[in-house]
Amino acid sequence: MDLLNAIVALANFVLIPAVAYGSQLALGALGVTLIYGILRFSNFAHGDTMAFGTMVVVLVTWWLQSLGISLGPLPTALLAIPFGIAATAVLVLATDRAVYRFYRKQKAKPVILVIVSIGVMFIYNGLTRVILGPDDQRFADGERFIISAREFKAMTGLSEGLAIRTTQGITVVTAIIVVALLFWFLNRTRTGKSMRAYSDNEDLALLSGINPEKVERVTWLIVAALITVAGVLYGLDKSYKPFTYFQLLLPIFAAAIVGGLGNPLGAILGGFVIAFSEVGITYAWKKVLGYALPDSLAPDSLVQLLSTDYKFAVSFVILVIVLLFKPTGLMKGKAV
Amino acid sequence: MTQSVRTIALFAMVALLILGTGFLQSWNTALLILNMGLVSAVMALGVNLQWGIAGLFNVGVMGFVALGGLAVVLTSMPPVGAAWAAGGVRVLLALSAGAGLVVAAVYLWKRLRKGWAVAALLLGGFFVYRAILDPAVEAIEAVDPALAGYLGGLGLPVVLAWPVGGLLAAGAAWVIGKTALGLRSDYLAIATLGIAEIVIAVLKNEDWLARGVKNVIGLPRPVPYEVDLQNDPSFVERASGLGLDPTTASTLTVKLGYSLLFAAVLIVLLVLAQLALNSPWGRMMRAIRDNEVSARAMGKDVTARHLQVFVLGSAICGIAGAMMTTLDGQLTPGTYQPLRYTFLIWVMVIVGGSGNNLGAVLGGFLIWFLWVQVEPMGQGLMTLITAGMADGSALKDHLLNSAQHLRLLTMGVILLLVLRFSPRGLLPER
């Protein structure tokens, strides 16, 4: 019984939150990795693109809510996602046209593009703050829980409850659908295959008649979709604040690099590695250990390795360890 | 236009902008801009050393600036005796145990090359470290938490904190450089971005060190206090001789004092940076930047030179951070934001002209001036746009409130325009 309680507590406080967070990071990291693989630079504006897309979704959600439209138990924001993706797609395509393309034509060094993306980051950041402001926004509605802790206790008779929030369920389901679609696209369609070819060997791909402009456009479209979905899921699960999204840049990059930059499967793996270590290291293990260990060994302290404010330190340390010992990431990435 | 004419013209323009602020707005504002402009110029010098001369992509400037700020607290605040008695020695013991642990882990890895042994050592050692540290931290933070709750500093003159800030930043940079400099440029960027966040997290959470988000206020000053000047009859007399009322005269005097101190630091650093740039060392650094492989083939130790310049540049950022915290008179870890303290400095270097020390200094002044002045301009613009709207309408309020965020937008536009049409900056490297 105690062991069961330990497992439930572990699931409730570590596994479920980490799976949800990992899915969000994985979607974000997929975007970073696609841009790196095909457009060949690290996009520092990624976090702010995410904030922008989510902002549009927040605004459309409010509008839908004011019209009385809802999805019943599901959050209305899901209905607003297509609007967010469309707006983000327009934004990134316009940016690509007005800013990045010039440097691609010049064959500028990747680091110049990184600096350019810092300028873009400032603009997106300002845009989001001017339109919606820098404050916390809540836009989740619908049922809060799939299973609440109390229902679970009544159902099983355990003293520990297992709560699964609707947003966590939606996160995982959406992430699976999006990733499945992405991989289907990359592996089965003509455009997807040409994207992979372009990423593998630009010259050879050009030689075989692949249109680089189309590949780049499609990449930005996919990135816009991925990043908006990731942002909305994170916002539903936690809360929406532009600055937090900017800070997500670090764990997202860590996930992409740990997995191997340019490798989509690696990005997903990296997302979960980062999420599980962040949650695991900043969680106070007292409760789980109290159930799992015999009474004489039960800990008195919180058994929390680091306070939650140090979660960036965790992604960072993992990043450095992986880079030092396996510089191309856990799954072989590419180096430009 | 030759380079030197261009340099003089652009600096004259910046001087004119600041003087114009003095004549049109107020001399207090002008001196405020000048002081932070001087600090920004020092920061830009540091980043220019790393990026412009050595090609190292450091986006952790915020962390080094914050370490400089920490140095001010640690150097100049009076020590809190009760806190030292409660757990000072124990904290030092814990910190040396932590440092010893890391050294032992590195040594073990070099000898054994067994990952699990090092991991086990680190994990076990971490618990020992926390076991020593935690009670001491608790005891220290219990000492008069409303006013102290930290160890305090050494009680030394505050100007000493500036070199100390440089040393602290240099030490951190050495550790980072040792681990991260072998990495590719964008990996180094992410690594430094992470380090900066960690430094801020430490400052926010380790209350025993510098009170965390409770802030340390009332830091000692290298210049006299306004109140003392106003109570000084000879000062009041001199002020009235100049036709100024004592309050204005005292605030201006204090700010001018800071300006002179900061200008002295900037000039010394600028001269050193110019000498370094034009020395064989500077030529070697640029050779490494332009072609690492051939520099290596010529027998240059690229890794060691990179480490050297990374430490030097970070130290300059640390000095600037200490100067800034001295100017503010308080350490507020909650206000450090990467956009302001890392990326804005980058805008300064790129706009000014990377690789040119004078360009970086110019960029520091110019961008800081714009950063301050764009806000009232944005306010004016928004007032103009919303002039036709009904008073009290939600949109009007929203637009007026959002004017302050226009400065981020402006900085982005400036950076992109310079990168597009004058990619080598206003004062290009020769």
Side-chain angles (χ1 to χ4, degrees), chain B residues 1-17 358 362 366 426-427:
Chain B
M1 207 168 12
T2 61
Q3 178 96 7
S4 48
V5 176
R6 195 184 165 92
T7 310
I8 293 168
L10 282 167
F11 270 99
M13 183 191 79
V14 169
L16 217 65
L17 285 175
L358 285 169
L362 176 84
L366 184 65
L426 295 176
L427 288 178

Side-chain angles (χ1 to χ4, degrees), chain A residues 36 42 98 131 305 309-310, chain B residues 130 184 186 205-206 398 420:
Chain A
Y36 189 85
S42 307
I131 297 177
L305 288 176
D309 303 289
Y310 285 121
Chain B
R130 288 288 296 263
R184 283 191 9 239
D186 27 4
N205 290 291
E206 303 302 320
H398 178 82
R420 177 74 168 256

Side-chain angles (χ1 to χ4, degrees), chain B residues 112-151:
Chain B
L112 285 179
R113 298 258 150 206
K114 284 196 169 53
W116 57 267
V118 178
L121 174 74
L122 281 175
L123 193 70
F126 183 73
F127 278 102
V128 174
Y129 163 74
R130 288 288 296 263
I132 307 177
L133 184 70
D134 286 356
V137 167
E138 217 165 287
I140 291 170
E141 287 172 9
V143 176
D144 193 7
L147 289 173
Y150 75 123
L151 286 175

